[in-house]
């Protein structure tokens, strides 16, 4: 069935064609942010040890660093590497300029220093020592060599992009389902605020800063369930009373926002335990992928399976494609609609918990206009607002397109207001491109 | 056989048209001509190339080669608008009317007469009345189009097409949705248009209508025009064998099923326009449901199927009362319904054939909510083979299938359910002769397997030939029953229906 492959290929292109745009944007911002990078920590130690390997092994080396985590890592790692290379006279001095100076003055004259290896953070310190302190005039100062690399592509930046978009991307899963049924959910932005506030408030009730892990989990679940209930209520209004989704969720948007203000009395809720930020800012130790991003990836895989392999997924597409035909094929249309609005609420609630964790507080102002970003992610991801068509991973791509544009503009110092204009035009352009492509295909 | 020798008097002459789409030679060789004041029918099975030819004529497609001569002048339309301006009006099966706007606004939609940028509704109404008088129509120009019957909407569509001066009118299956008396009044109007010198290209599937109204008929098969005949020089049977490319022994195969016990019963069914309907059917019996459009036939089967809410009545299957409140309940009770409008109520057009096929069966093909895709594709392949559904791939969009294949796909999926009662609402509407024949064979086979088969059809000839018994409806009630098929005639049905 050669034809089958052709169709599958063309479907892939139309479903995930936005991936191309994401890649182009990535390349664009990589080029625009190509500049000298100054390594730190382990990387700095590695590259500097290579530079130093050309010097005589008898040189006495002084490693200077600040006493920050990254710098200490640099110092110990460099020490180890140089020792392994066979250098036998290595000394580490770290701390603020005053301490460092003191320690250097305390060095016996016999230990003449021929090389100072320094981190970037400590480099100004090293140069002032060379200039000002006697006996260092001939000392060579070697900071780690800089290298050309796009700031955009730095692992830290990529992690940041992913972590920044995680909340929107998680909510966009639910929105994708809703939009595939030809509906819309405007309440998700307010649900973030409600969920964040409710979670933070409950953490406060179960001990505030001394709340236990399970106490926090329970608080998060309460926030999520509450949002699920509100989503279910929208679903009920839409199915039982045939209120248009736009109106029903517009109303719930106001209601949820109102509740968030009432519960928090209009003020952000702080006093959360330090460990509360684990979900939002923590990362697994190996690749340092943030937990929020891992959660997002797991949810996307689960949603993809739901939509492609299960009866519910098939029914969601069918209901959006032709509600009457789906009903006449024996599908319980109302149940499906109820389910998607409830799920959308639950995921918005989860997004709120992640956001509260990222910001270590819950405030009623969270998530303002997020519904628009979420809808934009879904639409840019190729899901049709008229229903019946759309792909879960398309939405992830859409979310990342938005994240990459925002991040790229921040890195290239585009001003906030201009960013809005660009973002709006890019969303329009992305969808327009998709339209043109489909029109081209339809024309043959 | 009359050859297409160049005719000086013809207003339209199409010669040597070829048109290919990626992967398909849609038209390999097509020639056609039209005289003023003539109704020239274009017939052929679905996929024979009729609509492509018409789309080339009306500017929606461009031919790869060949000539279109209009009044002896070579033309090539870049868009439907250009064709319209040249005097070619087309009416497609899908109406282009806006239901919420009044008739007059629809007639002038897109070419409103304005004074200082403002429309005068009063003048539009006046102009519409003038137009209707010319065409002999009696319709209120101020009624919203949505309130009109399908037949009247069709007439509005024709009036709209003729509001601008047209010398050629192309009609794609204009009678598909019409009841017999409405067809007659449409034909009356077509004859009037003929006498005004307008040439009409009439595309249709109902051969008896074509034999009645047309002056000449051209048959298309496999992308080529096979020949053109004067009506009167060709019989119905000859026409059919030209269309399918082989002789057909019997147009309506007879059911040879043996009737079993009374299995399906409806008592006092009431809801919407339907009042107090009671009937029963036996296993192996093909029960026809006849009546005019709007008599409530579709409404009755929708009530049975749970698609609409009934206010009263019982449905009894195999002696047991079934509590049916939704299509899901009906399917669980073993009833399936092939809806009259396969595009609006049957298929998910944008979804693949496989997905459409699987829809009502997913629950039984899944474990813990996960679809058994191997089973799905196996069942699909088997049904595609056994029902001879023509498609390029299981992933092809349902939208892209021909009408007959769409219909077969919908039947195929019901065959997968555990059904004992199957209802066909207009099963052969808009499908070609070959597919119709297959549909009749399928209906007979289901009856032979002891199923209860209920068929609704507006085609009186068809229902007389295939049904074992006919119930006639009028104004939401049963007005009579015809059980002696040997003496049944179209007139008898009409007498009960009106």
């Amino acid at each position: 069935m050669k034809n089958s492959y052709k169709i599958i290929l063309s479907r892939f292109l139309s479903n995930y064609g936005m991936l191309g745009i994401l890649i182009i944007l990535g390349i664009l911002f990589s080029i625009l942010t190509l500049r000298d990078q100054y390594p730190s920590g382990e990387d700095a130690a590695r590259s500097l040890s290579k530079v130093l390997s050309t010097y005589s092994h008898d040189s006495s080396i002084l490693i200077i660093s600040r006493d920050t985590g990254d710098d200490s890592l640099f110092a110990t790692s460099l020490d180890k590497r140089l020792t392994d290379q066979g250098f036998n006279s290595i000394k580490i001095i770290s701390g603020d300029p005053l301490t460092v100076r003191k320690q250097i003055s305390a060095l016996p004259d016999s230990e003449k220093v021929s090389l100072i290896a320094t981190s970037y953070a400590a480099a100004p310190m090293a140069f002032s020592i060379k200039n000002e302190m006697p006996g260092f005039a001939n000392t060579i100062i070697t900071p780690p060599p800089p290298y050309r690399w796009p700031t955009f592509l730095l692992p830290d930046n990529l992690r940041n992009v992913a972590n920044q978009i995680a909340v929107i991307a998680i909510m966009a899963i639910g929105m994708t389902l809703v939009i595939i049924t030809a509906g819309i959910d405007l309440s998700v932005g307010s649900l973030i605020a409600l969920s964040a506030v409710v979670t933070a408030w409950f953490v406060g009730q179960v001990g505030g800063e001394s709340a236990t892990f399970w106490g926090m989990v329970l608080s998060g679940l309460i926030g999520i369930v509450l949002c699920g209930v509100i989503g279910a209520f929208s679903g009920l209004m839409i199915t039982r009373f045939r209120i248009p989704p736009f109106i029903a969720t517009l109303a719930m948007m106001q209601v949820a926002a109102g509740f968030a203000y009432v519960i928090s009395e209009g003020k952000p809720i702080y006093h959360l335990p330090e460990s509360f930020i684990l979900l939002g800012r923590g990362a697994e130790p190996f690749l340092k992928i943030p937990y929020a991003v891992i959660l997002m990836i797991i949810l996307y895989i689960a949603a993809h399976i739901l939509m492609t392999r299960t009866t519910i997924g098939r029914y969601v597409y069918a209901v959006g494609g032709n509600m009457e035909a789906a009903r006449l094929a024996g599908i319980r249309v109302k149940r499906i609609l109820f389910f998607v609005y409830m799920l959308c609420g639950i995921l918005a609630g989860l997004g709120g918990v992640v956001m509260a964790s990222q910001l270590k507080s819950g405030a009623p102002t969270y998530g303002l206009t997020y519904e628009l970003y979420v809808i934009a992610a879904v639409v840019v991801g190729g899901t049709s607002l008229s229903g019946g068509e759309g792909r879960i991973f398309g939405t992830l791509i859409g979310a990342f397109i938005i994240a990459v544009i925002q991040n790229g503009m921040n890195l290239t110092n585009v001003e906030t207001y201009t960013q809005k204009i660009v973002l709006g035009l890019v969303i329009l352009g992305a969808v327009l491109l998709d339209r043109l492509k489909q029109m081209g295909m339809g024309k043959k | 056989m009359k050859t297409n020798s160049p005719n000086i008097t013809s207003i339209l002459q199409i010669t040597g048209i070829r048109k290919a789409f990626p992967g398909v030679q849609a038209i390999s060789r097509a020639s056609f001509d039209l005289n003023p004041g003539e109704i020239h029918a274009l017939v052929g099975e679905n996929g024979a190339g009729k609509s492509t030819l018409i789309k080339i004529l009306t500017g929606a497609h461009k031919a790869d080669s060949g000539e279109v001569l209009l009044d002896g002048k070579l033309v090539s339309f870049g868009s439907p608008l250009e064709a319209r301006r040249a005097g070619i009006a087309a009416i497609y099966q899908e109406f282009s009317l806006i239901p919420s706007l009044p008739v007059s606004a629809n007639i002038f939609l897109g070419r409103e007469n304005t004074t200082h940028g403002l429309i005068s509704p009063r003048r539009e109404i006046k102009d519409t009345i003038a137009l209707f008088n010319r065409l002999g129509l009696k319709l209120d120009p101020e009624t919203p189009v949505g309130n009109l019957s399908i037949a009247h909407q069709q007439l509005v569509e024709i009036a709209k097409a003729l509001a601008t001066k047209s010398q050629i009118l192309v009609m794609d299956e204009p009678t598909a949705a019409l009841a017999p008396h409405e067809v007659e009044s449409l034909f009356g109007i077509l004859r009037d248009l003929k006498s005004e010198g307008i040439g009409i290209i009439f595309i249709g599937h109902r051969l008896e209508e074509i034999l009645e109204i047309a002056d000449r008929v051209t048959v298309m098969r496999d992308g080529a025009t096979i020949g053109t005949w004067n009506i009167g020089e060709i019989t119905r049977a000859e026409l059919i064998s030209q269309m399918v490319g082989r002789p057909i022994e019997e147009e309506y195969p007879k059911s040879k099923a043996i009737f079993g016990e009374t299995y399906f019963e409806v008592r006092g069914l009431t809801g919407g326009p339907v009042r107090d309907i009671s009937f029963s059917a036996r296993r192996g019996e093909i029960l026809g449901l006849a009546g005019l459009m709007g008599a409530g036939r579709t409404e009755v089967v929708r009530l049975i199927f749970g698609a609409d809410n009934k206010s009263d009545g019982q449905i009894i299957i195999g002696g047991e009362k079934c509590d049916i409140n939704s299509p899901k309940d009906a399917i669980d009770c073993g009833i399936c319904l092939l809806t009259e409008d396969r595009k609006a109520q049957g298929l998910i057009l944008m979804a693949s054939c496989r997905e459409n096929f699987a829809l009502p069966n997913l629950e039984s093909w899944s474990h813990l909510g996960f679809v058994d895709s191997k089973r799905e594709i196996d069942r699909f392949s088997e049904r595609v083979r056994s029902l001879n559904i023509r498609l390029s791939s299981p992933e092809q969009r349902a939208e892209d299938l021909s009408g007959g294949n769409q219909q077969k796909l919908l039947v195929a999926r019901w065959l997968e359910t555990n059904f004992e009662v199957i209802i066909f609402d207009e099963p052969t509407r808009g499908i070609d002769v070959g597919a119709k024949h297959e549909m009749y064979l399928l209906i007979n086979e289901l009856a032979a397997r002891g199923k209860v088969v209920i068929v609704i059809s507006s085609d009186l000839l068809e229902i007389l030939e295939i049904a074992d018994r006919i119930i006639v409806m009028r104004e939401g009630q049963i007005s009579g029953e015809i059980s002696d098929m040997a003496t049944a005639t179209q007139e008898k049905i009409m007498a009960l229906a009106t």
Side-chain angles (χ1 to χ4, degrees), chain B residues 255 257-264 279-288 422 443 446-448 450-455 466-470 481-483:
Chain B
S255 169
I258 300 151
F259 296 168
E261 80 273 27
T262 296
Y263 187 74
F264 179 71
F279 65 86
S280 63
R282 301 163 68 178
R283 281 182 175 280
E285 185 178 31
I286 301 173
L287 177 64
I422 184 161
I443 289 172
L446 291 171
K451 308 293 182 194
V452 174
V453 184
I454 299 172
V455 179
I466 65 170
D468 297 317
R469 184 158 62 96
I470 297 173
E481 185 177 319
I482 299 172
S483 41

Side-chain angles (χ1 to χ4, degrees), chain B residues 296-324:
Chain B
R297 298 164 304 170
T298 296
E299 287 76 4
V300 166
V301 297
R302 281 178 65 91
L303 288 176
I304 293 173
F305 192 61
D308 296 325
N309 291 329
K310 54 177 180 286
S311 50
D312 199 11
Q314 291 169 352
I315 290 157
I316 295 144
I317 296 177
E320 275 178 55
K321 239 188 259 174
C322 287
D323 189 18
I324 295 173

Side-chain angles (χ1 to χ4, degrees), chain A residues 1 3-4 7 11 305 309-311 314-315 318 321-322 324-332 387-389 444, chain B residues 302 305 307 327-328 331 339 343-348 350 354 360 362-363 366 369-371 376 393 395 397 414:
Chain A
M1 297 280 260
N3 238 328
S4 234
I7 290 177
R11 280 212 173 171
I305 293 172
R309 297 263 175 269
T310 71
T311 49
R314 292 283 196 88
Y315 292 166
N322 186 338
E324 181 64 3
R327 192 173 76 94
L328 292 175
I331 292 172
R332 294 188 180 96
E389 289 174 298
K444 286 173 190 170
Chain B
R302 281 178 65 91
F305 192 61
K328 168 87 182 144
I331 294 166
T339 53
K343 285 183 176 166
Q345 298 163 352
L347 296 164
I348 318 284
M350 63 192 66
R354 172 183 56 80
L362 281 174
E363 232 149 86
S366 61
F370 285 87
V371 179
E376 178 187 5
S393 138
E395 302 311 310
R397 282 170 164 238
W414 289 127

